[in-house]
Amino acid sequence: MRLFYQEEHKTCYHYAEKSTATFKVYHLQRESPPARARLERSLMVFVVDGEVLIRYGAGRPFTVPAGRFFLVEPGTLFTGHQASPSLVMTMAFVGAPQLCNIYTLESLLRDTQGASLPVDPHFTLPIRPRLREFLDLTMHCLDDGLSCVHYHELKRIEFFQLARAYYSKEELAALFRPLLGIDHDFRRQVLEAYARADCDVATLAARLNLSTATFQRKFKQTFHETAGQWLLDRKAERIVRQLKTTSLSFDEISFENGFSSLAYFSNFCKRVFGKTPTQLRAEGF
């Protein structure tokens, strides 16, 4: 459907370009290349049609069929590829969302204390009828070119209200588990500090003006793993990305990631991935 006064919409300084928009629509064909990015914001991913293959970091890929949606927490190296022609919509947001004006994630955490919640990192929820109607209308409007930042914000608020209305507290707690009970400002500061350069735990703590002990305690509370393991995972992700998406030689990748020799680099790959650099580079997505 055609928008009235399209030029007025697209030349307004409130118009959201796709690179920064809250909601994005992807019409994926079989030949579409995989999408890879390290997320700076939380991302809700809705698989409307088709089937997609998802990988977090260097972990094993998993399949998400049509009619499901899931959360990817910030700081995650996220890779997605369609297993068939697919229609996908994403919604980005920052920090801890409110499910409505008076119901926060803290409220959700309090109400589900003691509940037996799944801890599957691949947890998904079904796209129920009212949510599907919401997605269809939003996608149609975005495809028409309606992309005002205020429209995006209103739709983001509407999504969380629909989630509050049509999903149980236990389902929502399982969905938002990575964001529950954490210091979002600290998470943002860590991601920003790490993005400036590779570093070890002590350097990262110093950049946040914290003692190493305080930093490690806050890190474990926020990221649910040790800072050392998190940095090791980031290193592994970087190596896999360089092996699969660049033409850098093994010597160059080894040097860039701080290995003193190609033998140490090869041993790291075999220990972490169970494969040599040659095997990692040769395999597909």
Side-chain angles (χ1 to χ4, degrees), residues 109-280:
L109 179 62
R110 182 193 64 238
D111 289 349
T112 56
Q113 285 286 355
S116 179
L117 302 175
V119 294
D120 182 3
H122 305 155
F123 181 78
T124 67
L125 282 175
I127 298 175
R128 296 195 170 124
R130 294 294 178 263
L131 180 56
R132 177 60 192 255
E133 292 165 5
F134 162 85
L135 296 175
D136 286 341
L137 177 58
T138 305
M139 287 188 294
H140 288 321
C141 291
L142 293 176
D143 285 343
D144 291 341
L146 180 56
S147 194
C148 171
V149 294
H150 301 301
Y151 176 74
H152 282 269
E153 178 63 14
L154 288 170
K155 299 304 287 186
R156 184 187 65 80
I157 293 171
E158 184 181 357
F159 164 74
F160 286 119
Q161 291 182 324
L162 290 172
R164 170 88 165 101
Y166 293 105
Y167 294 85
S168 71
K169 292 177 180 178
E170 290 74 20
E171 288 175 320
L172 294 177
L175 178 69
F176 289 111
R177 185 184 62 81
L179 305 181
L180 291 175
I182 68 171
D183 185 333
H184 292 277
D185 286 337
F186 176 76
R187 180 194 285 271
R188 175 184 54 78
Q189 291 167 3
V190 168
L191 295 177
E192 289 176 353
Y194 177 76
R196 295 203 299 268
D198 296 335
C199 53
D200 57 19
V201 173
T203 303
L204 201 54
R207 287 178 182 168
L208 272 65
N209 297 315
L210 295 172
S211 69
T212 302
T214 299
F215 173 79
Q216 289 178 319
R217 176 178 53 79
K218 288 176 65 69
F219 193 99
K220 184 68 178 293
Q221 291 172 344
T222 300
F223 288 83
H224 309 298
E225 62 180 325
T226 66
Q229 183 60 51
W230 187 85
L231 288 170
L232 180 64
D233 290 344
R234 302 293 78 75
K235 185 174 188 175
E237 290 170 1
R238 186 169 59 251
I239 288 170
V240 167
R241 184 169 68 253
Q242 290 174 330
L243 286 170
K244 293 179 180 296
T245 65
T246 76
S247 58
L248 292 172
S249 69
F250 294 160
D251 282 319
E252 289 172 317
I253 296 174
S254 174
F255 177 78
E256 286 192 12
N257 288 281
F259 294 97
S260 59
S261 71
L262 192 57
Y264 280 120
F265 172 60
S266 182
N267 287 337
F268 175 87
C269 290
K270 286 187 283 188
R271 175 168 55 85
V272 174
F273 307 113
K275 298 176 182 178
T276 65
T278 300
Q279 290 170 323
L280 287 168

Side-chain angles (χ1 to χ4, degrees), residues 13-14 47 63 72 78 81 93 150-151 166 170 181 183 215 226 236 246 281:
Y13 65 88
H14 288 302
V47 182
T63 300
V72 186
F78 171 78
H81 184 66
F93 62 95
H150 301 301
Y151 176 74
Y166 293 105
E170 290 74 20
D183 185 333
F215 173 79
T226 66
T246 76
R281 174 158 275 176

